[in-house]
Amino acid sequence: NAGVTQTPKFQVLKTGQSMTLQCAQDMNHNSMYWYRQDPGMGLRLIYYSASEGTTDKGEVPNGYNVSRLNKREFSLRLESAAPSQTSVYFCASVESTGQTFAQYFGPGTRLTVT
Amino acid sequence: RKEVEQDPGPFNVPEGATVAFNCTYSNSASQSFFWYRQDCRKEPKLLMSVYSSGNEDGRFTAQLNRASQYISLLIRDSKLSDSATYLCVVYQTGANNLFFGTGTRLTVIP
């Protein structure tokens, strides 16, 4: 079990360039999430997908799009990168049963936009 | 107002010390509560869930006070390996999301 995997681990973009961050999980979880983490801000939810074929906006969706390709994969796209999108991006998948909620994170993608 | 607030620290404590972290949350409808640990440049990992009755896992004790909307984490007999950032996390069913505090940084000194 690899858990949650993310690619790439590091990326440097120039303003205006586009890229897609990939995330995959092998735990058969229905829900997947994309967060960004900035100093002093904590993790903030960008988008989430409660199940295959559905996506919903989180707290900070502007400038991003997502695709839930299948149950395993949830990608995050930056169409026109801006310096404000310099951050560490974490993907997570969720095991949810009734009142319990366990979230498993990928190792993160460190993105710098110059 | 932030959903979850924590003292960012840093807390610098000697090995063997007892240290406590506190956290408050703003939404009384919050259902589940957690402490996560995040090492430098790594992903957050679940440390423990927090139950109303309080719960203990080895040297770690978590407490929840729903009336005061307050969560705590106590670490006894601190080890060097406990050095990390501790994130207070709250789950709201309606939002279908976890809300993260900014984290409290702990450094255990030899």
Side-chain angles (χ1 to χ4, degrees):
Chain A
N1 254 2
V4 181
T5 57
Q6 290 183 236
T7 55
K9 286 188 166 50
F10 302 93
Q11 184 71 52
V12 179
L13 291 178
K14 293 185 178 177
T15 297
Q17 287 185 317
S18 62
M19 78 162 294
T20 300
L21 282 63
Q22 306 287 353
C23 173
Q25 53 94 7
D26 61 3
M27 296 173 283
N28 203 36
H29 292 162
N30 286 321
S31 299
M32 297 184 73
Y33 293 70
W34 275 105
Y35 291 92
R36 61 178 289 174
Q37 186 175 34
D38 302 291
M41 298 291 290
L43 278 89
R44 292 181 294 167
L45 181 65
I46 304 170
Y47 270 92
Y48 70 97
S49 171
S51 62
E52 185 179 351
T54 69
T55 60
D56 287 283
K57 294 179 180 179
E59 184 184 353
V60 288
N62 291 345
Y64 305 95
N65 286 301
V66 290
S67 295
R68 184 71 183 269
L69 304 169
N70 48 55
K71 193 170 187 179
R72 289 188 66 249
E73 298 172 290
F74 188 37
S75 62
L76 179 71
R77 183 160 178 84
L78 286 71
E79 289 291 351
S80 178
S84 61
Q85 294 179 304
T86 293
S87 188
V88 181
Y89 291 85
F90 288 104
C91 176
S93 73
V94 165
E95 180 179 34
S96 178
T97 55
Q99 295 294 314
T100 66
F101 188 95
Q103 199 168 47
Y104 301 87
F105 285 85
T109 295
R110 282 164 179 76
L111 175 67
T112 301
V113 183
T114 60
Chain B
R1 185 180 176 188
K2 289 183 181 178
E3 294 281 347
V4 180
E5 302 217 40
Q6 331 178 214
D7 180 349
F11 284 63
N12 300 316
V13 302
E15 270 187 290
T18 295
V19 61
F21 305 138
N22 303 316
C23 163
T24 57
Y25 60 94
S26 62
N27 191 331
S28 60
S30 300
Q31 285 196 289
S32 303
F33 309 88
F34 309 90
W35 284 100
Y36 276 67
R37 170 190 170 130
Q38 186 172 24
D39 293 290
C40 187
R41 303 181 71 79
K42 299 284 190 182
E43 72 273 24
K45 291 186 178 176
L46 179 64
L47 178 66
M48 60 196 302
S49 301
V50 187
Y51 303 115
S52 296
S53 54
N55 49 299
E56 190 173 305
D57 183 1
R59 298 180 293 108
F60 298 84
T61 301
Q63 296 276 354
L64 166 65
N65 184 322
R66 284 190 184 270
S68 302
Q69 296 180 200
Y70 170 94
I71 305 158
S72 66
L73 177 68
L74 183 77
I75 305 175
R76 291 182 299 279
D77 188 23
S78 299
K79 312 291 185 191
L80 296 177
S81 57
D82 293 335
S83 296
T85 296
Y86 291 85
L87 306 175
C88 175
V89 184
V90 170
Y91 174 59
Q92 294 175 11
T93 305
N96 193 26
N97 186 28
L98 292 175
F99 291 91
F100 289 79
T102 54
T104 299
R105 187 170 176 183
L106 171 67
T107 301
V108 181
I109 304 163

